[in-house]
Amino acid sequence: MYSTSRSCHGETTRPYPRPYQCPDVCILSCLWAQVEDTNTSFLCAELHSIGWSVKRVAMVPDDMDSIANEVRLMSEACELVITTGGVGPTLDDVTMAGVARALDKQLVRHADLESRIRAFFGDHIGPAHLKMADLPEGEAELLDHRLASGELSKWPVVRCRNIYVLPGVPHLLQQKWNAIKGCLTGNMSVRPFCNQTLRLAISDETTIAHALETVAGEHGLDVHIGSYPVSVSASLRRPGGRGEEAGESIAQLH
């Protein structure tokens, strides 16, 4: 039996993550190397802004076995998996087939999604359109969402267990991201990271290496400290923690 269609605003949409943890996510980008990937950087920034830690990012070609292997590993390793790309009507769009194989399921026609696609395309519908209604048997949940205009989107987000399947076209992905963002924040005890940045007028990072190690040792895993060519930053890892801890870390470097 298929999961019913629902919105991202009910209690039924919060199986992940467990409360009071800093949840982690894996991102799988399904595209050929000649296509520039802008989706991963967008998702990393957005996920960090709402308190999710990106544990792994992988890029695979439009190959069903490669996708299946990565999805299987990621879904076991992370609270959440986001795939991007490979969900269109052409022969190279095999992401959904890869997800199905990773879950040991067959691709079958999803009646609700088929009905929506038929309503959208009308008399011009063909087999390629209906391919987009083939989802992993018994695992697909359709998440309805509203567009910026307030209109209900005709294309729901597909979720299979802890896997969100998003399109690869950047503006469509960002549209869908706005839909699932509420699922990841609205019903969970997850808070954004607190970030502090210190800019230093130095040309040699080795001059601050020892100081960074000292501060990191004092604050443990709750604070992540990184040094970059343009700045030193401290990010509080523990959701719900005191923002002053990140500030204190930076203050110790002055």
Side-chain angles (χ1 to χ4, degrees):
M1 178 178 294
Y2 290 112
S3 301
T4 57
S5 175
R6 57 190 63 169
S7 70
C8 288
H9 304 293
E11 190 66 21
T12 52
T13 61
R14 68 167 289 213
Y16 308 97
R18 297 182 295 275
Y20 310 113
Q21 286 190 326
C22 173
D24 52 33
V25 57
C26 292
I27 300 173
L28 178 62
S29 181
C30 307
L31 78 172
W32 291 106
Q34 62 263 39
V35 179
E36 182 180 3
D37 177 25
T38 60
N39 292 327
T40 298
S41 58
F42 169 81
L43 288 172
C44 286
E46 288 290 316
L47 287 160
H48 185 272
S49 74
I50 60 173
W52 285 72
S53 177
V54 177
K55 183 176 183 179
R56 174 177 168 83
V57 172
M59 182 182 296
V60 296
D62 296 312
D63 174 76
M64 183 170 58
D65 288 335
S66 298
I67 293 170
N69 290 337
E70 281 293 343
V71 168
R72 189 178 296 112
L73 291 171
M74 288 180 166
S75 63
E76 294 174 355
C78 292
E79 304 254 13
L80 179 72
V81 178
I82 297 176
T83 72
T84 69
V87 294
T90 58
L91 77 168
D92 59 325
D93 292 311
V94 294
T95 296
M96 204 62 75
V99 171
R101 178 166 294 186
L103 301 177
D104 294 319
K105 298 292 182 177
Q106 296 294 319
L107 273 185
V108 295
R109 189 63 47 86
H110 191 287
D112 186 2
L113 189 54
E114 178 185 2
S115 176
R116 297 181 191 215
I117 291 174
R118 287 185 180 277
F120 185 84
F121 289 104
D123 295 337
H124 301 289
I125 197 166
H129 298 100
L130 293 176
K131 174 191 174 184
M132 295 185 289
D134 292 342
L135 305 179
E137 184 176 14
E139 299 291 352
E141 180 179 9
L142 305 184
L143 302 179
D144 286 312
H145 61 95
R146 295 192 178 276
L147 304 174
S149 63
E151 177 186 4
L152 190 66
S153 174
K154 296 178 174 61
W155 298 93
V157 174
V158 176
R159 181 172 69 187
C160 303
R161 299 186 191 176
N162 64 334
I163 305 160
Y164 284 90
V165 184
L166 300 184
V169 179
H171 79 273
L172 295 178
L173 177 138
Q174 292 174 26
Q175 188 181 88
K176 300 300 182 187
W177 165 252
N178 289 331
I180 69 173
K181 188 175 182 178
C183 297
L184 306 184
T185 57
N187 300 313
M188 305 170 188
S189 300
V190 178
R191 298 183 183 180
F193 293 100
C194 177
N195 299 302
Q196 295 283 339
T197 300
L198 173 65
R199 296 187 181 276
L200 303 173
I202 60 173
S203 58
D204 183 359
E205 284 185 297
T206 63
T207 60
I208 60 169
H210 179 69
L212 294 178
E213 292 173 0
T214 299
V215 173
E218 291 181 8
H219 290 271
L221 296 177
D222 285 338
V223 176
H224 171 74
I225 297 177
S227 175
Y228 311 96
V230 294
S231 65
V232 174
S233 67
S235 178
L236 181 63
R237 285 184 177 275
R238 186 176 65 252
R242 294 185 302 109
E244 291 83 356
E245 292 180 50
E248 289 171 2
S249 301
I250 288 293
Q252 288 180 253
L253 296 174
H254 278 279

